[in-house]
Amino acid sequence: MVMKWTAVCLVALALLGSFCHAQWKDPYPRQPTYQKPAAPPVRQEPSKQVPQDPQQSKQTFETPLTWKYPEDPRPDPQPDVPFELRHPVPAATVAVECREKIAHVEVMKDMFGIGQFIRPADLTLGRCGHVAEDTGAQVLIFESELHECDSSLSVTEDSLIYTFVLNYSPQPLGAPVVRTSKAAVIVQCHYPRKHNVSSLPLNPVWIPFSAVKVSEEFLYFTLKLMTDDWQYERPSYQYFLGDMINIEAIVKQYFHVPLRVYVDNCVATLSADQSSTPRYAFIENHGCLVDAQVTGSASKFMTRTEENRLQFQLEAFRFSDADSGLLYITCHLKATSSSYVIDSEHRACSYINGWKEASGADGACSSCGSSASPYGGSAGGSWSSGGSASLSNPGRKTRDVSQRQIFEWEGDVTLGPFSVGEKKMV
């Protein structure tokens, strides 16, 4: 029963609610009224935003980066090369024998001494070609009567001179290039006017062509300071007491017959004037190096390895009464044919437990013990002064030695100044 009344009450309440809602609602809706348009919104200036700290964090590495841009490439350092430009030296490849009626000329096929053989057809004696060829020695042979092959004759007071011209005219080698250039070599035969050269029982005393040719040309003597191994010229002129001064004497041969050079005498001074005082002649008496005998030094000539080159060592010294350590060395040099024997006037002697000669001819040194004092005696010869390694005009003299003539060339060379300092004690 209670349940039934409860349901009735709920229905009644629902109906009552609907009636009340209908009473509150407006039965006559009003028309909408006009509203003014709203004023345009005021433009607002953008406000600056304060930057905020980024939310990202910097990435770090446990080890710092070592990479960097690569450097520009640098050229490799150039080493100091002991180089000296060699200028071409005329080669002695032409020889002549002046016979009674003909001139006999021999020319090496390597005429320029460069390893390039010439073609025989390119070489003529005047207008005459070669008459023979030595294939073993690679030599072309020319022979001509004295009045043929475009020869010319000139007459002096004492001689008849027949002159030939050896012409070399190279042709292209299959292309517009040549390895050699044109050349003309003068060949002469000298005959004396006052001697009979056709009488066989008589021994002719006229001078052969080779000697005349050599005598008409100049020789050049040089002195150089050398390194310890004798390979290069020493770039420094500074020495100290106890050092060995390596000196090399050379005679330039050029077209001459093989020559042998000698150091006839040498004197050391404080100036370029060899006659000044104090002075010390350490080589004298025609090639005797007396410094080792007088002072007990190790000065000596080196063993001769080339005829036109002579090397010697001088232990460095200073003059006792002079504060200056500067020295000049002036040497008188001589040259003769290498076929001429070594004798008491042409030698290179050192005192090494007795006198020894640089070429082994020790007998030529027997008179070295009788030389004059090296402190003030005359060094001999005609000396000249000059700058560093200056060259005087070389001279020539002839020595008549039992049925033959010996040609000898002489020259004076001054080397310096170079300094000899004292070694400091620790």
Side-chain angles (χ1 to χ4, degrees), residues 35-50:
Q35 296 182 355
K36 292 182 180 181
V42 179
R43 181 179 179 183
Q44 297 181 353
E45 294 294 332
S47 60
K48 295 183 180 180
Q49 298 294 331
V50 179

Side-chain angles (χ1 to χ4, degrees), residues 178-360:
V178 292
R179 299 296 184 189
T180 53
S181 58
K182 291 184 178 181
V185 180
I186 304 299
V187 179
Q188 291 182 336
C189 281
H190 293 237
Y191 295 94
R193 294 180 60 187
K194 300 179 182 180
H195 295 273
N196 183 0
V197 298
S198 62
S199 298
L200 297 179
L202 298 179
N203 293 325
V205 295
W206 50 272
I207 302 173
F209 165 77
S210 59
V212 174
K213 187 64 177 176
V214 171
S215 67
E216 292 175 348
E217 296 176 354
F218 286 102
L219 297 180
Y220 295 91
F221 296 97
T222 60
L223 281 181
K224 294 181 181 179
L225 296 178
M226 304 298 292
T227 55
D228 294 340
D229 58 1
W230 297 97
Q231 297 297 315
Y232 308 103
E233 185 173 359
R234 196 175 194 267
S236 173
Y237 274 43
Q238 175 67 56
Y239 292 91
F240 296 93
L241 292 177
D243 292 344
M244 299 303 295
I245 303 175
N246 295 339
I247 303 176
E248 183 178 74
I250 298 177
V251 57
K252 299 290 187 181
Q253 297 189 130
Y254 298 111
F255 286 112
H256 294 271
V257 296
L259 299 175
R260 184 185 296 124
V261 66
Y262 301 93
V263 181
D264 195 65
N265 47 63
C266 285
V267 63
T269 54
L270 292 175
S271 68
D273 181 8
Q274 64 88 28
S275 62
S276 62
T277 57
R279 60 193 301 273
Y280 174 47
F282 56 91
I283 298 179
E284 60 174 16
N285 196 16
H286 304 301
C288 298
L289 206 165
V290 298
D291 183 62
Q293 184 186 35
V294 174
T295 66
S297 69
S299 302
K300 62 180 179 180
F301 282 104
M302 309 300 291
T303 301
R304 190 190 290 270
T305 58
E306 299 180 53
E307 298 295 344
N308 69 321
R309 188 186 307 267
L310 184 60
Q311 300 167 337
F312 64 93
Q313 290 183 322
L314 176 65
E315 190 169 338
F317 65 89
R318 294 165 59 100
F319 285 102
S320 58
D321 298 331
D323 296 332
S324 173
L326 295 180
L327 288 180
Y328 289 83
I329 290 179
T330 305
C331 293
H332 185 71
L333 306 183
K334 296 193 302 187
T336 63
S337 170
S338 60
S339 61
Y340 180 60
V341 296
I342 298 173
D343 59 12
S344 59
E345 295 186 9
H346 306 86
R347 57 190 176 182
C349 298
S350 307
Y351 188 79
I352 308 173
N353 296 325
W355 290 101
K356 307 292 182 182
E357 212 280 325
S359 299

